[in-house]
Amino acid sequence: VTSGKPMKSLGSKIQDLVWDFLFPIKCINCSVEGVWVCQLCLDGLRVNTVFTCPVCRSLTETGLACRSCRNASSLDGLLVVFEDNVLIRKLVKTIKYYFITDLVSAIEPKLNNYISKSPLVEDFCVLVPVPLHKRRFLERGFNQSQLLCDSISDALDCDTRSDLLLRTVYHHRQVGLSSGQRMDNIAGSFRVNQSQVSNLDQTIVLVDDVYTTGATMCECVSELKKAGYKKVLGLVLVRG
Ligand SMILES: [Zn+2]
Ligand SMILES: [Zn+2]
């Protein structure tokens, strides 16, 4: 075996064939067969070249909260990798609900390109995925934010700390709730794992797939700040 991959048994090869026949791999956008997202569609994903304030969305130099929003925002800055469009939303949903790791690999070059150009993200950062509740994790089998961290940490050469922040309250899905309802729903859902707290001068980069109302991320940030961390940034694929 030269490919380095373990040899598959005949049984699992047949299983793959049947699976591919029943559910052929198709581009999630244009349905061309063979890949989860084709190069042509991938080219339609535009990486953001400007940075904006997490609160009022006005242009800022680096993605830090602007002067007038600085006190209103617990999040010090927000980095949004992609411009909002139909494809990136589809992609985010597909990763989240179908656990297609190939899609994360497909966007990895663009993701890392964006990060390498973000002045706020340095080697001194530590990546923290927005955690899922243990029950949700078991239902789904993976955490998409963790996948993103894995994808970024190799290129950045900084650590991911998956055990720093814990989600202690299980919620039913938040889709359809207003911003205020989400805030109420999410309040008190996260806890910092005190045994994992160290090096409070490190900048925390909180990673999630999407930033909608910001309720989840802000709740995470306030817990991290209560624990003593001074600077917390958010990094998301898209802002809804
Ligand atoms: Zn396509
Ligand atoms: Zn602002």
Side-chain angles (χ1 to χ4, degrees):
V1 184
T2 51
S3 70
K5 285 181 184 167
M7 278 231 282
K8 283 189 170 178
S9 70
L10 185 61
S12 76
K13 273 184 197 160
I14 291 172
Q15 213 171 41
D16 283 356
L17 281 174
V18 171
W19 190 262
D20 289 349
F21 176 74
L22 291 174
F23 307 102
I25 294 174
K26 285 181 184 167
C27 172
I28 57 163
N29 197 46
C30 72
S31 299
V32 68
E33 284 194 25
V35 282
W36 288 110
V37 59
C38 74
Q39 191 55 47
L40 211 65
C41 290
L42 211 50
D43 290 343
L45 282 185
R46 271 203 290 275
V47 169
N48 269 318
T49 52
V50 292
F51 298 103
T52 51
C53 168
V55 184
C56 70
R57 297 189 186 216
S58 63
L59 290 179
T60 68
E61 218 166 292
T62 57
L64 285 179
C66 76
R67 199 178 288 267
S68 36
C69 297
R70 207 158 291 168
N71 293 327
S73 172
S74 51
L75 200 58
D76 293 292
L78 180 65
L79 300 166
V80 184
V81 182
F82 293 104
E83 285 179 18
D84 189 11
N85 69 17
V86 176
L87 174 57
I88 187 64
R89 286 177 179 234
K90 246 188 231 175
L91 203 132
V92 162
K93 262 194 200 148
T94 315
I95 292 172
K96 192 182 219 147
Y97 296 113
Y98 299 97
F99 184 34
I100 311 292
T101 46
D102 285 355
L103 282 175
V104 180
S105 312
I107 58 167
E108 195 172 283
K110 286 181 185 243
L111 189 59
N112 287 322
N113 184 273
Y114 171 86
I115 290 163
S116 67
K117 288 178 181 152
S118 304
L120 289 181
V121 183
E122 310 139 358
D123 294 347
F124 194 53
C125 289
V126 58
L127 302 170
V128 175
V130 169
L132 292 179
H133 188 270
K134 216 183 269 173
R135 178 175 152 194
R136 175 82 73 216
F137 183 81
L138 290 173
E139 285 167 359
R140 228 185 248 167
F142 73 103
N143 176 359
Q144 71 279 5
S145 303
Q146 174 71 50
L147 277 184
L148 293 172
C149 286
D150 295 344
S151 179
I152 299 163
S153 67
D154 285 348
L156 259 185
D157 198 24
C158 59
D159 292 337
T160 300
R161 302 273 303 279
S162 312
D163 40 11
L164 179 61
L165 197 61
L166 307 171
R167 195 171 194 136
T168 50
V169 179
Y170 180 87
H171 287 293
H172 293 282
R173 288 182 57 197
Q174 300 218 84
V175 174
L177 297 185
S178 73
S179 154
Q181 285 171 320
R182 281 186 193 219
M183 275 292 191
D184 293 342
N185 202 16
I186 211 86
S189 296
F190 298 93
R191 183 170 64 76
V192 166
N193 187 356
Q194 287 300 332
S195 67
Q196 297 295 323
V197 172
S198 66
N199 208 346
L200 295 170
D201 291 322
Q202 267 186 324
T203 300
I204 301 244
V205 181
L206 205 51
V207 178
D208 207 356
D209 51 355
V210 57
Y211 186 97
T212 311
T213 61
T216 302
M217 212 166 240
C218 289
E219 188 63 25
C220 292
V221 179
S222 48
E223 288 306 305
L224 288 163
K225 293 216 164 161
K226 266 188 237 162
Y229 288 98
K230 294 178 192 79
K231 192 168 175 189
V232 186
L233 307 171
L235 177 83
V236 292
L237 292 181
V238 64
R239 183 169 188 173

